[in-house]
Amino acid sequence: MHYTSQYPSPLGELLLAADDAGLTGVWFVGQKYFARSLAPDSVAREIPLFAQVKQWLALYFAGQEPELEIPIHMVGTAFQKAVWRILRTIPYGQTMTYGAIARQVAEELGIRRMSPQAVGGAVGHNPISILIPCHRVVGTNGSLTGYAGGLDRKVKLLTLEKAEMGSLFLPKRGTAL
C-alpha cells in the first residue's frame, strides 16, 4: 500500500509519501518534480510512520538536529540511490560540493571519474527533501545552485541549520534559478 499525508512546514506545505517499507517522498507542494515518484494508487491516510516524520520535521524546523531514525525506502536507479546515500552522510549544518560527491560515487563504483552534472541530476531528483538533505549540496565555487524546492528555501534551510554562509552565494544567472 502507498500512503500520503500533509505537513504544514514554516516554508510551505509538504506532501509526505510512504509505503510499507518506509518513507518514499517529502516534497514542497508545487516544487520542481513534485510527487513525480508518487504511486498512482496512493491513499491519504495517517499511518504511524507519518507521526514519526512529523515529529522529526517539527524538531528540525524548531532549529534542532533530530535524532529520530526514520525508515526510508529510496526508490530510484542504482546511481541515484548511491548519490542519495552520500547525501545522507552530509552532517547537519554543513555542505558538500557536487564535485566531492562525484568523486565519492566514482570511488564507490570503481570508476576513474564521475560527472558532477550527473550527480546534480540525481540530487535534483531526490524525492525525500530535507531528510535526505539535498539542500546541503553546493557548487564548487560556493554557488547555491539547484534546489527543486527553490533557492529561497535552500537558503532558509541552511540558515536554520546555522551553516557557514560566508563563502556561499546565489548565482546571478543560470539554469539553477
Side-chain angles (χ1 to χ4, degrees):
M1 246 347 244
H2 300 273
Y3 310 98
T4 63
S5 182
Q6 301 281 324
Y7 180 79
S9 91
L11 301 182
E13 190 78 16
L14 290 168
L15 176 66
L16 313 178
D19 61 17
D20 293 327
L23 188 66
T24 59
V26 175
W27 301 275
F28 285 102
V29 171
Q31 78 170 50
K32 189 174 185 180
Y33 310 121
F34 175 69
R36 184 171 276 178
S37 61
L38 186 63
D41 63 343
S42 296
V43 175
R45 182 176 302 152
E46 293 302 319
I47 59 173
L49 175 59
F50 289 148
Q52 292 176 331
V53 173
K54 290 175 182 183
Q55 182 182 9
W56 191 100
L57 289 166
L59 290 168
Y60 179 84
F61 284 113
Q64 300 175 38
E65 181 179 2
E67 300 287 328
L68 301 169
E69 285 296 321
I70 302 296
I72 291 180
H73 180 197
M74 293 187 280
V75 179
T77 67
F79 173 70
Q80 288 172 325
K81 289 178 188 178
V83 170
W84 300 338
R85 276 192 299 275
I86 293 168
L87 296 181
R88 294 184 75 191
T89 69
I90 304 171
Y92 180 91
Q94 309 225 354
T95 60
M96 183 179 228
T97 67
Y98 292 97
I101 294 170
R103 287 188 294 279
Q104 194 170 333
V105 169
E107 186 177 312
E108 285 181 15
L109 297 177
I111 59 177
R112 195 168 78 52
R113 187 175 182 284
M114 171 59 59
S115 161
Q117 289 80 10
V119 166
V123 170
H125 285 83
N126 166 28
I128 305 177
S129 293
I130 305 169
L131 285 87
I132 298 180
C134 51
H135 62 278
R136 296 179 189 155
V137 183
V138 299
T140 302
N141 65 353
S143 176
L144 291 169
T145 120
Y147 184 60
L151 291 180
D152 58 328
R153 286 187 179 123
K154 183 172 189 160
V155 169
K156 289 176 182 174
L157 292 169
L158 290 171
T159 301
L160 176 73
E161 294 181 12
K162 296 178 178 56
E164 174 52 52
M165 302 289 284
S167 63
L168 304 177
F169 67 94
L170 289 170
K172 299 222 183 294
R173 58 189 167 96
T175 59
L177 297 176

